Amino acid sequence: MATDAPPPSKAVHQLPSAEEFVEVQQSAEFGELRRSHRSFAFPLTVAFIAWYLLYVLLSNYAGGFMGTELFGNINVAFVFGIAQFATTFLIAWWYSRHADAKLDPKAEAIKNRMEGGA
């Protein structure tokens, strides 16, 4: 079975010390990485939880509305339920794109520097 991955490196990497980890954690670059993650993840998490709670509350307290048939046997509750799944996958895809574009390059640069590769 052929793979495109290069063979593992024979070089021995020295692990960073606790002081080096603390220094990196307090750096502006790491702070920017953390801000970039939080500014994306926190608002999206709050929005999704609100959307989910709206679905639950409507299901419990607005049975007439949720039971409204839209076409055939498809009602509002079914459409909202399917939308919950679609929203979950959309958020996962969106976060993956965000991480690839904004988070991973910064994290990789920090990692390489800490491992002595840069």
Side-chain angles (χ1 to χ4, degrees), residues 59-78:
S59 294
N60 282 319
Y61 300 110
F65 169 69
M66 294 297 271
T68 303
E69 289 187 1
L70 300 174
F71 47 91
N73 288 331
I74 306 298
N75 61 17
V76 173
F78 181 77

Side-chain angles (χ1 to χ4, degrees), residues 16-34 106-116:
S17 68
E19 292 80 20
E20 290 171 314
F21 275 108
V22 170
E23 181 182 327
V24 168
Q25 184 181 15
Q26 294 172 349
S27 71
E29 184 180 23
F30 188 79
E32 177 57 34
L33 175 62
R34 189 177 326 158
K106 293 176 186 176
E108 190 66 29
I110 292 170
K111 177 182 172 247
N112 286 340
R113 197 169 43 261
M114 289 202 65
E115 291 179 346

